[in-house]
Tab-separated table of all heavy atoms in Angstrom:
chain	number	residue	atom	x	y	z
A	27	ARG	N	-112.465	139.247	-56.769
A	27	ARG	CA	-113.107	140.447	-56.227
A	27	ARG	C	-114.513	140.125	-55.716
A	27	ARG	O	-114.907	140.579	-54.639
A	27	ARG	CB	-113.163	141.552	-57.284
A	27	ARG	CG	-113.739	142.855	-56.731
A	27	ARG	CD	-113.795	143.990	-57.752
A	27	ARG	NE	-112.511	144.198	-58.365
A	27	ARG	CZ	-112.321	144.281	-59.690
A	27	ARG	NH1	-113.325	144.175	-60.527
A	27	ARG	NH2	-111.119	144.480	-60.177
A	28	ARG	N	-115.273	139.340	-56.490
A	28	ARG	CA	-116.623	138.947	-56.051
A	28	ARG	C	-116.567	138.146	-54.750
A	28	ARG	O	-117.349	138.394	-53.823
A	28	ARG	CB	-117.320	138.118	-57.138
A	28	ARG	CG	-117.936	138.949	-58.241
A	28	ARG	CD	-118.853	138.138	-59.133
A	28	ARG	NE	-118.222	136.970	-59.729
A	28	ARG	CZ	-117.531	136.975	-60.866
A	28	ARG	NH1	-117.384	138.091	-61.537
A	28	ARG	NH2	-117.016	135.862	-61.341
A	29	LEU	N	-115.634	137.197	-54.670
A	29	LEU	CA	-115.502	136.384	-53.458
A	29	LEU	C	-115.102	137.239	-52.260
A	29	LEU	O	-115.613	137.049	-51.151
A	29	LEU	CB	-114.471	135.263	-53.674
A	29	LEU	CG	-114.839	134.170	-54.661
A	29	LEU	CD1	-113.640	133.258	-54.910
A	29	LEU	CD2	-116.034	133.366	-54.172
A	30	LEU	N	-114.198	138.167	-52.472
A	30	LEU	CA	-113.762	139.043	-51.374
A	30	LEU	C	-114.895	139.934	-50.895
A	30	LEU	O	-115.032	140.177	-49.688
A	30	LEU	CB	-112.571	139.898	-51.815
A	30	LEU	CG	-111.240	139.174	-51.894
A	30	LEU	CD1	-110.204	140.047	-52.594
A	30	LEU	CD2	-110.753	138.754	-50.520
A	31	THR	N	-115.707	140.429	-51.809
A	31	THR	CA	-116.848	141.258	-51.424
A	31	THR	C	-117.799	140.459	-50.534
A	31	THR	O	-118.295	140.970	-49.536
A	31	THR	CB	-117.584	141.794	-52.671
A	31	THR	OG1	-116.649	142.552	-53.451
A	31	THR	CG2	-118.750	142.680	-52.295
A	32	GLU	N	-118.012	139.180	-50.882
A	32	GLU	CA	-118.880	138.313	-50.080
A	32	GLU	C	-118.278	138.017	-48.710
A	32	GLU	O	-118.975	138.055	-47.700
A	32	GLU	CB	-119.126	136.986	-50.805
A	32	GLU	CG	-119.955	137.087	-52.053
A	32	GLU	CD	-119.962	135.782	-52.848
A	32	GLU	OE1	-119.562	134.731	-52.303
A	32	GLU	OE2	-120.368	135.823	-54.026
A	33	LYS	N	-116.980	137.721	-48.680
A	33	LYS	CA	-116.347	137.242	-47.441
A	33	LYS	C	-115.837	138.358	-46.536
A	33	LYS	O	-115.805	138.197	-45.323
A	33	LYS	CB	-115.217	136.274	-47.764
A	33	LYS	CG	-115.725	134.987	-48.358
A	33	LYS	CD	-114.675	133.918	-48.244
A	33	LYS	CE	-115.292	132.596	-48.605
A	33	LYS	NZ	-114.931	131.562	-47.685
A	34	LEU	N	-115.402	139.478	-47.118
A	34	LEU	CA	-114.842	140.569	-46.319
A	34	LEU	C	-115.807	141.744	-46.160
A	34	LEU	O	-115.802	142.419	-45.135
A	34	LEU	CB	-113.559	141.111	-46.955
A	34	LEU	CG	-112.278	140.333	-46.769
A	34	LEU	CD1	-111.144	141.048	-47.481
A	34	LEU	CD2	-111.952	140.115	-45.314
A	35	GLY	N	-116.544	142.019	-47.208
A	35	GLY	CA	-117.424	143.178	-47.206
A	35	GLY	C	-116.713	144.402	-47.747
A	35	GLY	O	-115.485	144.512	-47.688
A	36	PRO	N	-117.476	145.343	-48.270
A	36	PRO	CA	-116.904	146.534	-48.896
A	36	PRO	C	-116.096	147.416	-47.941
A	36	PRO	O	-115.122	148.038	-48.354
A	36	PRO	CB	-118.115	147.297	-49.423
A	36	PRO	CG	-119.284	146.396	-49.295
A	36	PRO	CD	-118.919	145.268	-48.395
A	37	GLU	N	-116.474	147.462	-46.669
A	37	GLU	CA	-115.759	148.323	-45.716
A	37	GLU	C	-114.312	147.858	-45.535
A	37	GLU	O	-113.381	148.662	-45.560
A	37	GLU	CB	-116.469	148.341	-44.344
A	37	GLU	CG	-117.874	148.896	-44.374
A	37	GLU	CD	-118.918	147.856	-44.809
A	37	GLU	OE1	-118.640	146.626	-44.740
A	37	GLU	OE2	-119.997	148.276	-45.250
A	38	GLU	N	-114.134	146.552	-45.336
A	38	GLU	CA	-112.783	146.009	-45.157
A	38	GLU	C	-111.970	146.147	-46.436
A	38	GLU	O	-110.780	146.462	-46.405
A	38	GLU	CB	-112.842	144.538	-44.723
A	38	GLU	CG	-111.491	143.933	-44.391
A	38	GLU	CD	-110.865	144.451	-43.104
A	38	GLU	OE1	-111.571	145.049	-42.268
A	38	GLU	OE2	-109.649	144.268	-42.921
A	39	ILE	N	-112.604	145.941	-47.573
A	39	ILE	CA	-111.926	146.087	-48.863
A	39	ILE	C	-111.429	147.529	-49.022
A	39	ILE	O	-110.282	147.760	-49.406
A	39	ILE	CB	-112.863	145.678	-50.022
A	39	ILE	CG1	-113.059	144.156	-49.992
A	39	ILE	CG2	-112.324	146.146	-51.358
A	39	ILE	CD1	-114.108	143.642	-50.945
A	40	GLU	N	-112.279	148.488	-48.683
A	40	GLU	CA	-111.880	149.895	-48.790
A	40	GLU	C	-110.784	150.220	-47.782
A	40	GLU	O	-109.809	150.911	-48.098
A	40	GLU	CB	-113.085	150.802	-48.583
A	40	GLU	CG	-112.743	152.255	-48.834
A	40	GLU	CD	-113.960	153.157	-48.766
A	40	GLU	OE1	-115.075	152.694	-49.032
A	40	GLU	OE2	-113.762	154.343	-48.448
A	41	LYS	N	-110.933	149.737	-46.556
A	41	LYS	CA	-109.940	149.996	-45.504
A	41	LYS	C	-108.551	149.487	-45.913
A	41	LYS	O	-107.540	150.128	-45.624
A	41	LYS	CB	-110.397	149.310	-44.212
A	41	LYS	CG	-109.485	149.519	-43.032
A	41	LYS	CD	-110.130	148.940	-41.773
A	41	LYS	CE	-109.343	147.747	-41.323
A	41	LYS	NZ	-109.864	147.123	-40.115
A	42	ARG	N	-108.514	148.365	-46.615
A	42	ARG	CA	-107.244	147.762	-47.038
A	42	ARG	C	-106.744	148.317	-48.366
A	42	ARG	O	-105.660	147.946	-48.812
A	42	ARG	CB	-107.403	146.241	-47.181
A	42	ARG	CG	-107.784	145.526	-45.920
A	42	ARG	CD	-106.621	145.443	-44.995
A	42	ARG	NE	-106.984	144.749	-43.762
A	42	ARG	CZ	-106.119	144.381	-42.871
A	42	ARG	NH1	-104.844	144.637	-43.038
A	42	ARG	NH2	-106.505	143.775	-41.774
A	43	GLY	N	-107.534	149.165	-49.016
A	43	GLY	CA	-107.154	149.642	-50.347
A	43	GLY	C	-107.021	148.480	-51.305
A	43	GLY	O	-106.194	148.498	-52.210
A	44	LEU	N	-107.831	147.450	-51.091
A	44	LEU	CA	-107.701	146.182	-51.795
A	44	LEU	C	-108.186	146.300	-53.234
A	44	LEU	O	-109.360	146.544	-53.488
A	44	LEU	CB	-108.498	145.105	-51.049
A	44	LEU	CG	-107.921	143.704	-51.083
A	44	LEU	CD1	-108.483	142.878	-49.948
A	44	LEU	CD2	-108.099	143.022	-52.389
A	45	ILE	N	-107.248	146.148	-54.150
A	45	ILE	CA	-107.536	146.183	-55.585
A	45	ILE	C	-107.283	144.793	-56.140
A	45	ILE	O	-106.319	144.137	-55.759
A	45	ILE	CB	-106.620	147.191	-56.312
A	45	ILE	CG1	-106.891	148.608	-55.831
A	45	ILE	CG2	-106.797	147.099	-57.821
A	45	ILE	CD1	-105.913	149.627	-56.399
A	46	CYS	N	-108.136	144.352	-57.056
A	46	CYS	CA	-107.941	143.090	-57.779
A	46	CYS	C	-107.842	143.417	-59.259
A	46	CYS	O	-108.696	144.122	-59.796
A	46	CYS	CB	-109.114	142.140	-57.551
A	46	CYS	SG	-109.381	141.674	-55.847
A	47	GLY	N	-106.810	142.908	-59.912
A	47	GLY	CA	-106.662	143.177	-61.333
A	47	GLY	C	-105.487	142.431	-61.912
A	47	GLY	O	-105.000	141.463	-61.334
A	48	ASP	N	-105.014	142.906	-63.055
A	48	ASP	CA	-103.799	142.334	-63.628
A	48	ASP	C	-102.641	143.272	-63.308
A	48	ASP	O	-102.820	144.309	-62.656
A	48	ASP	CB	-103.960	142.074	-65.125
A	48	ASP	CG	-104.175	143.333	-65.951
A	48	ASP	OD1	-103.929	144.452	-65.454
A	48	ASP	OD2	-104.590	143.198	-67.119
A	49	ALA	N	-101.478	142.931	-63.757
A	49	ALA	CA	-100.282	143.718	-63.425
A	49	ALA	C	-100.425	145.172	-63.851
A	49	ALA	O	-99.983	146.076	-63.142
A	49	ALA	CB	-99.050	143.086	-64.076
A	50	TYR	N	-101.059	145.418	-64.983
A	50	TYR	CA	-101.169	146.782	-65.491
A	50	TYR	C	-102.084	147.657	-64.640
A	50	TYR	O	-101.942	148.868	-64.624
A	50	TYR	CB	-101.603	146.769	-66.952
A	50	TYR	CG	-100.578	146.061	-67.817
A	50	TYR	CD1	-100.882	144.869	-68.445
A	50	TYR	CD2	-99.289	146.576	-67.942
A	50	TYR	CE1	-99.927	144.211	-69.208
A	50	TYR	CE2	-98.326	145.927	-68.703
A	50	TYR	CZ	-98.659	144.732	-69.339
A	50	TYR	OH	-97.717	144.084	-70.072
A	51	ASP	N	-103.006	147.036	-63.907
A	51	ASP	CA	-103.857	147.798	-62.995
A	51	ASP	C	-103.053	148.365	-61.824
A	51	ASP	O	-103.517	149.256	-61.127
A	51	ASP	CB	-104.997	146.924	-62.454
A	51	ASP	CG	-105.994	146.552	-63.529
A	51	ASP	OD1	-106.285	147.414	-64.381
A	51	ASP	OD2	-106.470	145.402	-63.523
A	52	PHE	N	-101.851	147.827	-61.614
A	52	PHE	CA	-101.010	148.251	-60.504
A	52	PHE	C	-99.815	149.086	-60.975
A	52	PHE	O	-98.939	149.408	-60.182
A	52	PHE	CB	-100.497	147.031	-59.726
A	52	PHE	CG	-101.551	146.400	-58.876
A	52	PHE	CD1	-102.457	145.517	-59.417
A	52	PHE	CD2	-101.643	146.696	-57.522
A	52	PHE	CE1	-103.440	144.934	-58.637
A	52	PHE	CE2	-102.616	146.119	-56.733
A	52	PHE	CZ	-103.523	145.241	-57.289
A	53	GLN	N	-99.766	149.411	-62.254
A	53	GLN	CA	-98.658	150.199	-62.787
A	53	GLN	C	-98.527	151.495	-61.990
A	53	GLN	O	-99.477	152.256	-61.874
A	53	GLN	CB	-98.897	150.511	-64.263
A	53	GLN	CG	-97.709	151.098	-64.967
A	53	GLN	CD	-96.669	150.053	-65.339
A	53	GLN	OE1	-96.987	148.924	-65.633
A	53	GLN	NE2	-95.419	150.455	-65.327
A	54	GLY	N	-97.375	151.720	-61.381
A	54	GLY	CA	-97.138	152.922	-60.600
A	54	GLY	C	-97.800	152.913	-59.236
A	54	GLY	O	-97.821	153.928	-58.550
A	55	ASP	N	-98.352	151.792	-58.815
A	55	ASP	CA	-99.059	151.683	-57.547
A	55	ASP	C	-98.482	150.513	-56.753
A	55	ASP	O	-98.062	149.515	-57.339
A	55	ASP	CB	-100.550	151.452	-57.821
A	55	ASP	CG	-101.433	151.801	-56.639
A	55	ASP	OD1	-100.918	152.288	-55.624
A	55	ASP	OD2	-102.651	151.578	-56.740
A	56	GLU	N	-98.453	150.626	-55.448
A	56	GLU	CA	-97.933	149.558	-54.600
A	56	GLU	C	-98.920	149.246	-53.492
A	56	GLU	O	-99.767	150.076	-53.154
A	56	GLU	CB	-96.598	149.971	-53.957
A	56	GLU	CG	-95.459	150.147	-54.911
A	56	GLU	CD	-94.177	150.557	-54.201
A	56	GLU	OE1	-94.252	151.289	-53.180
A	56	GLU	OE2	-93.101	150.150	-54.663
A	57	ARG	N	-98.770	148.083	-52.907
A	57	ARG	CA	-99.510	147.674	-51.718
A	57	ARG	C	-98.516	147.025	-50.770
A	57	ARG	O	-97.472	146.521	-51.195
A	57	ARG	CB	-100.626	146.668	-52.065
A	57	ARG	CG	-101.755	147.240	-52.901
A	57	ARG	CD	-102.533	148.282	-52.102
A	57	ARG	NE	-103.679	148.821	-52.808
A	57	ARG	CZ	-103.659	149.886	-53.570
A	57	ARG	NH1	-102.535	150.539	-53.797
A	57	ARG	NH2	-104.766	150.340	-54.133
A	58	ASP	N	-98.855	147.020	-49.483
A	58	ASP	CA	-97.969	146.355	-48.518
A	58	ASP	C	-97.861	144.866	-48.838
A	58	ASP	O	-96.777	144.296	-48.842
A	58	ASP	CB	-98.497	146.535	-47.085
A	58	ASP	CG	-98.474	147.995	-46.651
A	58	ASP	OD1	-97.441	148.665	-46.877
A	58	ASP	OD2	-99.483	148.462	-46.091
């Protein structure tokens, strides 16, 4: 997440709905 914030910036992270976590952080949630 720290590396992505540096390389992509918060706007792109928000636009992509980009979440970083473990499997349980995605329980009931999907991404393309």
Side-chain angles (χ1 to χ4, degrees):
R27 184 179 307 130
R28 279 192 304 274
L29 292 172
L30 285 169
T31 301
E32 292 170 15
K33 292 198 170 225
L34 281 180
E37 298 83 19
E38 185 71 17
I39 289 172
E40 186 174 333
K41 181 173 112 179
R42 299 286 180 170
L44 214 160
I45 296 174
C46 299
D48 64 15
Y50 298 114
D51 292 322
F52 286 82
Q53 191 78 33
D55 200 4
E56 294 180 327
R57 293 294 183 269
D58 295 314

